[in-house]
Amino acid sequence: MDAWQALSAGMVGLCIGLVLVALARLPDSRVVRSLLSVVLAVALWSLGEVIASGADDATRKHVGLALLYSGAIFLPACWWALAVHWCQEVEGRHRLKHPLWVRVPVLWACAMWLVMVSNPWHGAFITPVLGGRNLYGALWWTMAIPNYALILAAAGLVVRVSSRVARPAVRWQGAVLVSSSGLTLLGNWAYLMGSEVRPSATLLVFAIAAAI
């Protein structure tokens, strides 16, 4: 692990620790439980990134990618659930109250997770590359595109509710939610599009998003 990775991983660990301390001080609610699931997904993604980016053999690379995508696949569903529950709370009414609004994205994530863990047998999800950019298969894009859309939908929902609720604190919270998810999306998309951002910079982006 180089100094950049160590710094990034340390910042993520610190931010996640601070969030967990904050959660421990908050009363139990659907919003808090959703936020905890987001933090755990980020922790899995970050741990997998550290292992996979520094792997020097195929076994370690596979383990790192399995952890990374266990977080990456479930993170959008968890973020959507957080947005829905936050909107319900700040509006004071049951917006999108049917449980399927939250359960369907989770079931989709479960299906995609099974696709990911079975990748060594079919190879249609991802081709690991030691020391380089992994090759994404058709099933990876089948997972990724709806997940990007889900995060964008969550941002749209937050923006809409923030504009309807006049309280300044609610609008500030909405801005925090949108900016943190937007930062992660932009950093991830820049990497996918082949920019010169180093793979370990993903951890730094997560650290900033978690701090927000």
Side-chain angles (χ1 to χ4, degrees):
M1 180 186 299
D2 59 25
W4 180 257
Q5 275 186 296
L7 175 63
S8 300
M11 290 182 67
V12 169
L14 176 61
C15 289
I16 290 176
L18 290 173
V19 171
L20 290 176
V21 169
L23 289 173
R25 298 170 60 88
L26 295 173
D28 184 45
S29 70
R30 289 182 298 175
V31 173
V32 173
R33 291 193 293 271
S34 298
L35 181 57
L36 179 58
S37 68
V38 168
V39 172
L40 292 176
V42 169
L44 278 175
W45 189 332
S46 303
L47 177 61
E49 174 73 22
V50 171
I51 296 173
S53 62
D56 54 6
D57 62 79
T59 299
R60 188 176 178 186
K61 184 78 171 183
H62 280 293
V63 170
L65 289 176
L67 289 172
L68 189 159
Y69 282 108
S70 290
I73 289 171
F74 281 97
L75 180 58
C78 296
W79 190 260
W80 169 255
L82 173 62
V84 169
H85 293 150
W86 177 82
C87 291
Q88 290 174 346
E89 183 168 302
V90 300
E91 279 199 316
R93 59 192 179 92
H94 294 297
R95 187 180 183 84
L96 304 178
K97 63 180 181 179
H98 198 288
L100 287 180
W101 282 106
V102 172
R103 291 177 184 173
V104 168
V106 172
L107 291 174
W108 170 257
C110 290
M112 291 297 99
W113 185 82
L114 291 174
V115 169
M116 181 273 296
V117 295
S118 62
N119 182 73
W121 290 275
H122 55 72
F125 185 80
I126 195 170
T127 301
V129 177
L130 291 176
R133 186 181 296 274
N134 300 312
L135 303 177
Y136 305 117
L139 292 179
W140 188 94
W141 289 103
T142 301
M143 174 276 300
I145 292 175
N147 276 359
Y148 284 129
L150 195 59
I151 294 179
L152 290 174
L157 179 63
V158 170
V159 169
R160 182 178 179 183
V161 171
S162 297
S163 66
R164 291 162 59 96
V165 179
R167 298 194 302 275
V170 169
R171 293 187 176 184
W172 170 248
Q173 290 172 2
V176 167
L177 289 171
V178 172
S179 61
S180 59
S181 61
L183 177 64
T184 304
L185 271 178
L186 288 175
N188 189 253
W189 189 252
Y191 174 65
L192 289 177
M193 292 298 100
S195 74
E196 295 301 319
V197 178
R198 300 177 58 190
S200 55
T202 301
L203 298 178
L204 189 58
V205 170
F206 271 146
I208 297 172
I212 293 174

